[in-house]
Amino acid sequence: MSSRDGGMTFLSRGFVGRRDARRDAGRLPPGQYDVGDGFPVLSAGPTPRTAPEDWDFTVTGEVDGPVRLTWQEFQELPREDVTVDIHCVTKWSKFGTTWSGVALDTLLGLVDTSAEHLLAYCDGGYTTNLALEDVADGRAWVVDRFDGRPLEPEHGGPARLLVPELYFWKSAKWVRGLYLSGTEEPGFWETLGYHLRGDPWLEQRYAGD
Ligand SMILES: Nc1nc2c(c(=O)[nH]1)N[C@H]1C(S)=C(S)[C@@H](COP(=O)(O)O)O[C@H]1N2
Ligand SMILES: [Mo]
């Protein structure tokens, strides 16, 4: 562990493995707090439970050749491990969460489209809108593993979106597909007054922020 203040080094040594508050301060977007080891569950309804044999993932809408993947086909796609900080609009942030899944670049690469927006849809009816430029180039994934284990149903298993650069409501749980469109169609929370984009660093919590 290094220290900008040489005089603090002997103190830091005793705290190896604990959080360095000074380092983490720069990781917290405005108005957020560090929830630590906790992982709150925030669901607008009951937890759906879809068996892998009943699960599929579709990429539809304004595309040439819509795609439907079975669970098995999804498992065979190239996979990535990611470690990211997540930020909920209710103000908790969680540092260094580890996930495994398929990049949205890979899934969107399966179709031909000139659409600029998508609506993610889920078991249970939840939706959220995203601009394609906010999920391109390694900024979003469909993940099915958290912390080295299959994703718990409460946290969106069998699979959820992970869009860590935006507020966590954009990381749709129980995701089943992406609907691509030339126009921006607000999703569940966005229709109820939350920001269409939701960048935590710009504190885009509500419409008009
Ligand atoms: N399908 C679905 N996805 C959802 C939600 C939901 O209610 N339904 N809640 C969102 C909100 S507001 C947040 S903060 C995160 C919470 O994820 P977690 O329960 O794993 O912490 O999921 C997001 N994705
Ligand atoms: Mo949230």
Side-chain angles (χ1 to χ4, degrees):
M1 185 176 287
S2 67
S3 173
R4 262 168 300 182
D5 176 358
M8 290 295 284
T9 304
F10 75 99
L11 269 180
S12 306
R13 191 170 292 142
F15 291 90
V16 169
R18 285 186 58 176
R19 257 187 200 119
D20 184 324
R22 289 168 304 166
R23 184 198 64 204
D24 285 353
R27 295 167 76 173
L28 216 45
Q32 297 292 114
Y33 69 90
D34 176 5
V35 75
D37 291 333
F39 194 174
V41 171
L42 281 101
S43 305
T47 296
R49 284 163 205 268
T50 302
E53 59 269 27
D54 297 326
W55 188 92
D56 63 9
F57 192 89
T58 53
V59 184
T60 57
E62 294 168 23
V63 300
D64 278 340
V67 164
R68 173 182 176 269
L69 299 166
T70 63
W71 181 254
Q72 188 55 45
E73 290 165 337
F74 176 78
Q75 295 302 320
E76 286 162 8
L77 292 173
R79 147 171 303 274
E80 296 177 7
D81 295 321
V82 286
T83 301
V84 290
D85 299 344
I86 54 178
H87 311 289
C88 175
V89 74
T90 63
K91 302 201 168 175
W92 57 267
S93 291
K94 186 170 173 58
F95 294 141
T97 60
T98 57
W99 310 81
S100 162
V102 176
L104 244 57
D105 299 303
T106 301
L107 294 163
L108 294 170
L110 300 173
V111 298
D112 255 335
T113 186
S114 55
E116 288 170 3
H117 301 273
L118 68 81
L119 195 66
Y121 45 91
C122 307
D123 283 320
Y126 185 88
T127 55
T128 192
N129 60 282
L130 290 155
L132 252 55
E133 65 175 7
D134 279 333
V135 297
D137 304 324
R139 296 211 292 283
W141 297 264
V142 172
V143 292
D144 59 358
R145 299 181 69 82
F146 171 75
D147 215 5
R149 283 184 294 277
L151 186 57
E152 304 273 359
E154 288 73 15
H155 285 297
R160 77 179 298 164
L161 268 187
L162 176 65
V163 192
E165 291 183 20
L166 300 178
Y167 282 122
F168 206 37
W169 89 73
K170 297 289 188 180
S171 295
K173 304 196 280 190
W174 317 298
V175 70
R176 292 291 298 274
L178 310 173
Y179 184 90
L180 276 65
S181 169
T183 56
E184 190 166 41
E185 203 60 56
F188 178 80
W189 284 120
E190 296 85 0
T191 304
L192 293 172
Y194 283 84
H195 198 279
L196 277 176
R197 179 152 181 266
D199 181 337
W201 295 98
L202 301 176
E203 214 171 356
Q204 295 172 334
R205 296 179 192 273
Y206 307 106
D209 282 351

